[in-house]
Amino acid sequence: MRSLLVCVFVLLGTLGHAHSALNGPFESRQASTSSAPIFRITTDEFWLNLHHFLYVLGRAEARTNDSTRDAVAGAPPEAERGLKNLAADEQRVWAESVTAYAKGLSLKDAVREAPMPAVTAAMADAGDALTLAGVPIDAATREVLERAGPIYRKTWWPAHHAANLAWRESINALVGSYGQSILGFITTTYGMQWPADGYPVHTSGYSGFGGAYSSVRGVLVISSLADSTQRLNGLETVFHEGMHQWDNQVYVALGAQARTINVRVPVDLPHALIWITASEAVRRVERAHVPLVDALGIWKLYSSGAPGPMIRLKAPLEDAWKPYLDGRGTRDEALRLLLEKIALVK
Ligand SMILES: [Zn+2]
């Protein structure tokens, strides 16, 4: 998800504190806070949706190697269908807008490469305003978006907006049924706090090649059109993206254990822990759920700038982290054992 594959482990600037070890997954389960929102899903962010549509179309035009993945492959044919009904001058303006992205923002990683995170955050704040006047983005990007805006609004926005609304209804229902149980499991497992008022989740027809990501600015963007974000997959995804907000704290907790045994912390380990833990949390409420890490073939991919595919972490996670999820030992004992086992992998 994030640009799931690269998402992760981002230094947000301020390091959180490492929590002390827990006694085991359910022994200190939090009191129910069923009235507090776990997520606040927004659906009406016109500029954020246009920005991401242009971003993925620009990546397709630039032929980036991720632009044919399932979550974004539908964008170019959808654009083509809409263009057929437009006047020639509108087709030209749209093509120029896509090309501007293809030569600029679309070449940047949405999670961490400036100015993408800042532009995305500004688009989220802009909501559905008529223009981008006063929005803190560069003049060239503003011009591209404002020229493309009226074309997007009449051609693709109605369908993307409808998808956003349907996605929110579906995911809110699942969060209503299972959210407190999943939240209790992951906060207790990690020994970390979820914000009292939940995380904002920004829906967009398209987001990135993984179907969802969260930027270094803490902006969670989830595609409402991707197969990989529907129903239980979407439930796993929203918690997955929220858990990324703990990346710095997780890295600190891992670092403390790594020092005691003189090993390094793999850069993709916080992400691998999320894949395993979020999917297990969903499987505990719905046994038929297939973990996204398996369903999407994530193990064979490189994540978070790691030197090798994530598969090298799989057996250590099953040997050291899964038993902890089943209630054995403390978090920090599990992290230490996990690091020991990873250090032995050649
Ligand atoms: Zn991720």
Side-chain angles (χ1 to χ4, degrees):
M1 338 207 100
R2 192 168 238 315
S3 294
L4 272 185
L5 310 175
V6 287
C7 49
V8 200
F9 163 87
V10 282
L11 291 173
L12 297 172
T14 54
L15 293 176
H17 62 285
H19 288 251
S20 58
L22 296 171
N23 291 325
F26 283 101
E27 293 179 19
S28 59
R29 180 188 273 278
Q30 292 186 331
S32 172
T33 52
S34 56
S35 61
I38 300 174
F39 301 103
R40 289 172 281 122
I41 301 174
T42 57
T43 57
D44 304 339
E45 291 156 344
F46 171 81
W47 295 105
L48 180 98
N49 277 254
L50 168 58
H51 165 62
H52 282 92
F53 195 34
L54 290 172
Y55 176 72
V56 299
L57 290 172
R59 282 181 86 77
E61 183 166 304
R63 297 179 182 276
T64 61
N65 60 9
D66 57 31
S67 60
T68 56
R69 289 187 65 89
D70 288 350
V72 291
E78 186 186 356
E80 281 303 316
R81 288 192 298 274
L83 284 167
K84 287 188 186 133
N85 302 318
L86 297 178
D89 62 327
E90 291 174 320
Q91 292 176 349
R92 180 180 52 78
V93 167
W94 185 259
E96 288 171 359
S97 306
V98 173
T99 297
Y101 264 70
K103 292 178 175 174
L105 288 173
S106 293
L107 301 178
K108 306 293 185 183
D109 178 82
V111 174
R112 66 180 88 218
E113 269 190 272
M116 264 302 285
V119 173
T120 300
M123 292 303 103
D125 288 343
D128 191 20
L130 224 50
T131 73
L132 291 172
V135 172
I137 56 173
D138 64 275
T141 300
R142 176 182 294 114
E143 185 183 343
V144 169
L145 287 162
E146 287 189 337
R147 284 181 80 211
I151 302 169
Y152 178 68
R153 192 179 287 279
K154 69 178 182 183
T155 308
W156 298 282
W157 173 235
H160 292 179
H161 188 219
N164 293 348
L165 292 168
W167 189 87
R168 179 172 65 178
E169 184 175 350
S170 162
I171 297 302
N172 271 346
L174 288 168
V175 171
S177 298
Y178 301 134
Q180 289 300 329
S181 173
I182 293 171
L183 184 66
F185 179 74
I186 62 172
T187 54
T188 305
T189 296
Y190 271 60
M192 293 179 187
Q193 300 287 317
W194 201 260
D197 58 350
Y199 283 113
V201 171
H202 305 274
T203 54
S204 176
Y206 297 91
S207 62
F209 69 91
Y213 71 93
S214 35
S215 77
V216 293
R217 303 278 289 245
V219 177
L220 283 58
V221 184
I222 301 199
S223 167
S224 59
L225 292 168
D227 287 345
S228 60
T229 62
Q230 303 306 310
R231 299 202 48 75
L232 292 174
N233 291 339
L235 187 64
E236 182 183 329
T237 297
V238 283
F239 279 100
H240 178 124
E241 295 307 331
M243 291 169 78
H244 271 301
Q245 305 307 307
W246 291 332
D247 281 347
N248 288 332
Q249 289 164 265
V250 171
Y251 199 69
V252 169
L254 282 164
Q257 297 307 313
R259 275 192 297 281
T260 67
I261 53 174
N262 197 30
V263 299
R264 295 167 68 103
V265 177
V267 70
D268 51 347
L269 185 53
H271 203 184
L273 285 165
I274 293 177
W275 285 114
I276 292 288
T277 310
S279 62
E280 177 61 19
V282 174
R283 281 175 46 74
R284 281 172 183 247
V285 297
E286 194 64 73
R287 213 62 209 169
H289 177 60
V290 178
L292 280 169
V293 67
D294 298 320
L296 301 178
I298 302 294
W299 290 113
K300 65 178 187 290
L301 301 177
Y302 289 63
S303 174
S304 319
M310 213 169 66
I311 189 77
R312 75 196 193 290
L313 306 177
K314 189 178 183 192
L317 284 161
E318 285 170 357
D319 293 345
W321 190 248
K322 279 279 184 69
Y324 169 61
L325 295 182
D326 290 337
R328 269 169 273 163
T330 69
R331 183 198 73 182
D332 287 349
E333 286 167 357
L335 293 179
R336 188 165 61 247
L337 183 62
L338 178 58
L339 288 161
E340 284 171 354
K341 288 182 178 292
I342 292 169
L344 296 174
V345 175
K346 293 299 172 213

